[in-house]
Amino acid sequence: MEVSLGQKPEHQEFECASVRSNSLEARPAIARFIGDVEGGGGAQLRFHGDFESKGVISHVDLRTAQLFRLGPVETLCVCEGSNKSGEESYSRTTTIGFRTEVESTAFSCAFKQWKSGVTAGGTGTCLGNGSVSTLKSKFDNKIEASSAKMYFHYYGQLLHQQNMLQDYVRTGTYYAAVIENRVDFNGRIVVDVGAGSGILSLFAAQAGARHVYAVEASEMAEYARRLIAGNPSLGQRITVIRGKVEDVVLPEKADILISEPMGTLLINERMLESYVIARDRFLVPGGKMFPALGRIHVAPFSDEFLFVEVSNKALFWQQQSYYGVDLTPLYGSASQGYFSQPVVDAFDPRLLVAPAIFHTLDFTRIKEEELYEIDIPLNFVASAGTRVHGLACWFDVLFDGSSVQRWLTTAPGTPTTHWYQLRCVLTQPIYVMAGQEITGNLRMVAHSAQSYTIYLTMSAKMWGPGAQQGGIIQTSSCKLDLKEPYYRMSQPYTWPQDQQSNQLINTQETALPSNNFPGPDSLQQSPPLDIDLMLNQ
């Protein structure tokens, strides 16, 4: 794990049942591999007392260290030492104990990787002033450091994990997908990609997984260790490894990957790329992925209230005498800024102007590079004459289990999730008539702030007698930053009282299998709600 000078070093952590050195009595500790570039001492293995302790109780210089296997769960680390004068050298030993043989093997693999980086001229080599190491983590090469720091800080907090855990559609669907497909997990090796609190790892263990490797890069890994340790009947088959999936080394291949890599509009935060990288690094040929594919759904919408709301946000800048200052020179830029924000909320599906189309991302086959730019051609037929104010978007993912297929959907009209839905509002609406064709393009380009720039173009084609000529009579375009959405509401959309009897969602299959487990009865057994049907009501 190479880093440039001046950057915060990478690290990887393991929980040790006991650590004993020449001058230290045996005690539980956290073993942390760290590239100590700033200190000039090379990559080190440091031992911290416990989760709460920030101090280092012992350290090992990997340049001179060797590892010896004393038994299935015990390892001896030997390195050179010296007295205070530095004249006489001697061997310094550290005995490291683990809870299971699997954890011991994982630690040994990581030790070899870090030591290899040292001997190959990596983080352990002394770099000249101003020189930069040539190798870096693949993640660091494409994501700017400030964005990554904020990202891992956000997901390292329990309050944000709680927000996701309390999304009963999300958590309940994952639980159902795992438990109903025990045949895929029982006796298998599982890797939880971006494990967070470790809840999915615990689900996999409940389903009978032989062992689960929970890989988590943020400080949430520490909380995951504590949660898993508090469930010992399951935790003995779970190993938490702190690090990025792009960097960590596992002792064995996985039969199945499980992850929750979805962000707003499915692709925000660019974790899908890490999910695909984990597939290529860890998954055996033919192994399963939960989820296996995702679909981005899009449809034109008409919402006069939303358009006026966004437009009025910039009215402040139309003041010609604000404390004697004319603000109007900035009105155009302010208006453009507000329209560059995708709107995140839950909306009435009756606002849709045409049946939705979708673009599929097959996680089992897609290449990482294909996620750098996603291009979706648009073609709709308007169901009514109205003003089209933009494009509405949502997503769903499929858990393709051997026993049961389950969908997790964020579609409008279904139980609201913490992802809500997303709408791109055009600065200039387009007018359409019933039966008129709407064309265009939705292009999403990844950027280094772990999100995407959205380029949207929508056009109304000629209709009636001139339709066969195929000409465009009106076009509108906009550019939006998925990183900076406008969160319009925090409460889920609720159907009007007089419409509740017509909710199509009540007609879906919602019966759960005989092995009852906690969760809402709205978990979906069939594919997501077909919005096309709603438009025909």
Side-chain angles (χ1 to χ4, degrees):
M1 276 180 214
E2 312 287 341
V3 293
S4 300
L5 287 177
Q7 291 186 339
K8 186 178 179 179
E10 297 296 329
H11 60 269
Q12 185 177 359
E13 297 181 356
F14 293 85
E15 185 174 1
C16 304
S18 65
V19 172
R20 183 177 70 256
S21 66
N22 301 65
S23 58
L24 179 70
E25 295 183 356
R27 60 184 295 187
I30 300 296
R32 175 178 295 166
F33 292 99
I34 184 168
D36 189 16
V37 177
E38 294 180 352
Q44 290 189 353
L45 170 59
R46 299 178 179 177
F47 296 97
H48 296 254
D50 50 39
F51 173 72
E52 303 294 342
S53 173
K54 299 297 183 181
V56 179
I57 61 175
S58 179
H59 71 276
V60 173
D61 188 338
L62 293 180
R63 291 176 297 183
T64 62
Q66 298 184 67
L67 205 63
F68 300 92
R69 199 74 173 266
L70 298 180
V73 296
E74 195 170 40
T75 298
L76 180 67
C77 182
V78 181
C79 65
E80 293 182 4
S82 61
N83 59 21
K84 293 182 179 180
S85 64
E87 297 176 354
E88 183 180 346
S89 63
Y90 61 92
S91 293
R92 187 158 57 90
T93 63
T94 303
T95 304
I96 312 164
F98 298 91
R99 295 177 302 173
T100 66
E101 185 175 358
V102 173
E103 292 181 355
S104 178
T105 303
F107 175 84
S108 298
C109 290
F111 185 95
K112 292 177 182 177
Q113 181 198 28
W114 280 83
K115 185 171 177 62
S116 175
V118 171
T119 57
T123 53
T125 57
C126 295
L127 300 176
N129 185 27
S131 64
V132 178
S133 59
T134 57
L135 299 177
K136 292 176 62 178
S137 165
K138 189 172 186 179
F139 179 90
D140 295 329
N141 276 329
K142 62 184 181 181
I143 302 299
E144 60 186 43
S146 59
S147 175
K149 182 178 180 179
M150 293 179 62
Y151 175 75
F152 291 125
H153 173 73
Y154 179 91
Y155 284 108
Q157 300 180 59
L158 283 174
L159 69 159
H160 298 306
Q161 294 291 329
Q162 179 179 335
N163 179 49
M164 293 184 289
L165 290 172
Q166 288 182 320
D167 181 344
Y168 72 86
V169 177
R170 165 199 180 267
T171 307
T173 303
Y174 267 92
Y175 183 82
V178 172
I179 299 302
E180 291 173 346
N181 291 287
R182 289 177 180 271
V183 65
D184 293 321
F185 289 85
N186 191 31
R188 306 297 175 86
I189 299 299
V190 180
V191 172
D192 183 356
V193 181
S197 66
I199 191 69
L200 300 185
S201 296
L202 289 163
F203 289 171
Q206 287 180 359
R210 178 157 61 92
H211 201 85
V212 183
Y213 296 97
V215 183
E216 171 59 38
S218 77
E219 290 202 12
M220 186 52 56
E222 308 295 349
Y223 293 105
R225 286 188 180 114
R226 293 167 66 179
L227 180 63
I228 290 166
N231 294 267
S233 62
L234 302 173
Q236 62 184 356
R237 290 180 282 124
I238 302 174
T239 299
V240 178
I241 301 175
R242 182 170 180 183
K244 303 184 183 75
V245 296
E246 291 85 353
D247 304 325
V248 300
V249 174
L250 301 181
E252 54 190 327
K253 289 286 188 178
D255 302 300
I256 184 167
L257 296 187
I258 189 168
S259 181
E260 196 264 75
M262 302 90 73
T264 306
L265 192 56
L266 182 61
I267 58 176
N268 188 40
E269 298 177 350
R270 297 183 65 179
M271 190 180 166
L272 285 177
E273 296 167 34
S274 296
Y275 191 37
V276 169
I277 290 172
R279 176 202 69 193
D280 295 339
R281 296 194 65 209
F282 305 139
L283 193 62
V284 299
K288 281 191 169 291
M289 300 178 71
F290 271 50
L293 64 83
R295 302 187 303 185
I296 299 175
H297 298 256
V298 294
F301 74 91
S302 179
D303 190 342
E304 201 71 44
F305 291 105
L306 175 61
F307 178 75
V308 171
E309 179 182 331
V310 176
S311 299
N312 286 347
K313 282 176 171 289
L315 290 181
F316 170 84
W317 298 96
Q318 284 193 332
Q319 298 180 81
Q320 295 181 330
S321 183
Y322 181 75
Y323 293 95
V325 177
D326 184 359
L327 301 181
T328 58
L330 298 181
Y331 170 74
S333 297
S335 179
Q336 183 180 5
Y338 285 120
F339 276 98
S340 71
Q341 292 184 289
V343 177
V344 176
D345 67 352
F347 64 84
D348 188 335
R350 290 171 296 179
L351 296 175
L352 301 179
V353 175
I357 62 174
F358 63 83
H359 178 79
T360 301
L361 300 176
D362 186 344
F363 305 143
T364 67
R365 298 177 180 272
I366 196 169
K367 297 179 181 178
E368 176 196 352
E369 293 75 16
E370 294 178 55
L371 293 167
Y372 294 171
E373 183 172 336
I374 299 172
D375 197 275
I376 305 176
L378 306 178
N379 193 281
F380 310 97
V381 176
S383 57
T386 185
R387 290 214 305 175
V388 174
H389 294 100
L391 192 71
C393 312
W394 61 93
F395 71 87
D396 52 40
V397 294
L398 171 65
F399 300 94
D400 190 15
S402 299
S403 300
V404 177
Q405 284 189 335
R406 269 197 181 268
W407 289 90
L408 169 57
T409 183
T410 64
T414 64
T416 305
T417 70
H418 76 284
W419 290 287
Y420 295 93
Q421 294 98 41
L422 180 139
R423 286 185 283 175
C424 303
V425 184
L426 296 168
T427 55
Q428 179 60 53
I430 60 175
Y431 296 81
V432 296
M433 299 296 292
Q436 189 169 2
E437 188 177 359
I438 303 170
T439 62
N441 183 263
L442 176 66
R443 185 165 65 99
M444 296 169 285
V445 181
H447 58 64
S448 60
Q450 288 178 274
S451 193
Y452 285 76
T453 301
I454 300 174
Y455 300 91
L456 172 64
T457 299
M458 300 183 72
S459 303
K461 296 189 69 174
M462 294 183 68
W463 70 292
Q468 65 274 14
Q469 300 178 19
I472 301 296
I473 59 175
Q474 189 181 6
T475 296
S476 183
S477 300
C478 61
K479 176 183 175 182
L480 307 97
D481 187 355
L482 187 56
K483 179 79 170 183
E484 300 292 340
Y486 163 39
Y487 291 100
R488 187 170 179 236
M489 59 184 295
S490 58
Q491 298 299 318
Y493 169 79
T494 55
W495 288 78
Q497 188 66 34
D498 60 350
Q499 294 292 326
Q500 289 184 3
S501 61
N502 296 325
Q503 292 184 52
L504 292 181
I505 188 172
N506 291 336
T507 68
Q508 298 183 80
E509 285 187 62
T510 56
L512 298 178
S514 58
N515 54 323
N516 294 325
F517 50 83
D521 59 4
S522 60
L523 294 176
Q524 294 173 287
Q525 186 87 11
S526 56
L529 181 64
D530 191 343
I531 300 301
D532 300 0
L533 298 176
M534 305 182 76
L535 292 166
N536 295 326
Q537 284 194 324

